[in-house]
Every structure is written in C-alpha cells, then in structure tokens.
Amino acid sequence: RMLHQTLAATLVVSNARPARADVTNKIASSSALRALGKVQTQLPIKLLPEAQSNNYAGVKARLREPPFDTLRKNMLILVRGGEDGPKAKELTVANKRLIGVLEAMDATASLGMRGGKTAPDPFRLGIEYEDVVREVDAFVKVGTEAAGIPLQVESSMRSF
C-alpha cells in the first residue's frame, strides 16, 4: 500500500508542468518597465547633448552610467518574462534591434575617440541617437504590452 501511494504521488508530480513563463522575471517586469521609462526621460537630458556636440568620450561615458548601465538587464527581464506569450517574438526582435543601435552608437564613439582617418561623419552620432530613441520607444511599447499579459499557469499546477 505504501509503495502504491509513493508511486501514485511520483506520477502526479512528474506529470505536473511548471508555469509557462519565468515567474521571477514576470513579476520583475513592472520594475524593469519603470527603469526603462527612466531611460526614456534621461535620453534627451544625458545622451542628446553629448551626441549633438560629437563628444565621443561623453557618449561612451553616458552609456555606462545610470540609468543606461542597467538597460540590457531590464530588457532581458522583460524578454524572459514574456518568452512564451503572444508578444515573445516581437519582444525578441525589439530587443535585438535596440542592442544593435546601442552598440552602433558605442562603436561610433570609439572610432571618434581614435580620431584620424577613422573619424566618423560628424552627423553620425546624431542619427544614431535618433535610432536609439526610436528603438527604446519601440521596445518599451512591446514590453508594456507583453508585461500586461497575465502569467499562464498549467491547469495541473492550479491544484497545488
């Protein structure tokens, strides 16, 4: 009888499926969205002046200071929190695009700091700044939509 109960309990537990999304990241999504909102408000204050004046060292420095220093972490929280939701693919694409434009801006600043023949076009940082603003806005929009979708739990988990 004891063996039968243990076997039955094992079968029930082995058939249970975990929650569909990463629960920790799903819960942390609202905090990540607040941090990304701060990035949106700080872009024109901290990064725009550096980009407009072609201050390459300033651009590199600002990208490594708050609130921009935790941008990737907060983006990843939203991607993991929505990884199995209906916005998962859109969120992943927006994430890759934003990382791409941030890395492009950082690379331009590195080239500008070296100077000489490798110096970038003087308008390039301004254009890349606009790309960053556009992609941050797009990511926040999709991230907000994805975070608003409730956590999906398998019906077998609800009985626990």
Side-chain angles (χ1 to χ4, degrees), residues 25-34 36 77-79 81-83 85-88 91 139-151:
N25 287 304
K26 188 70 176 177
I27 293 168
S29 291
S30 62
S31 177
L33 281 170
R34 278 193 306 276
L36 289 170
I77 288 169
L78 288 168
V79 168
E83 65 190 355
K87 295 284 185 180
L91 201 54
F139 184 84
V140 169
K141 180 180 183 291
V142 176
T144 301
E145 293 168 359
I149 298 167
L151 181 64

Side-chain angles (χ1 to χ4, degrees), residues 38-125:
K38 188 165 186 169
V39 166
Q40 284 179 303
T41 61
Q42 293 296 306
L43 278 170
I45 297 167
K46 291 187 173 183
L47 197 56
L48 179 60
E50 306 293 2
Q52 285 177 331
S53 64
N54 284 330
N55 181 353
Y56 301 114
V59 167
K60 286 191 78 70
R62 295 308 84 73
L63 289 174
R64 287 159 177 77
E65 294 174 353
F68 309 111
D69 61 338
T70 58
L71 185 58
R72 284 183 188 238
K73 178 186 89 168
N74 289 312
M75 291 165 52
L76 188 58
I77 288 169
L78 288 168
V79 168
R80 286 183 179 162
E83 65 190 355
D84 67 344
K87 295 284 185 180
K89 186 174 181 179
E90 201 176 335
L91 201 54
T92 301
V93 169
N95 182 56
K96 287 179 182 176
R97 288 178 60 123
L98 179 50
I99 288 172
V101 296
L102 286 167
E103 288 178 351
M105 185 177 222
D106 191 60
T108 298
S110 293
L111 284 174
M113 287 174 63
R114 283 188 218 130
K117 293 180 182 178
T118 62
D121 179 292
F123 297 106
R124 190 163 168 189
L125 271 182

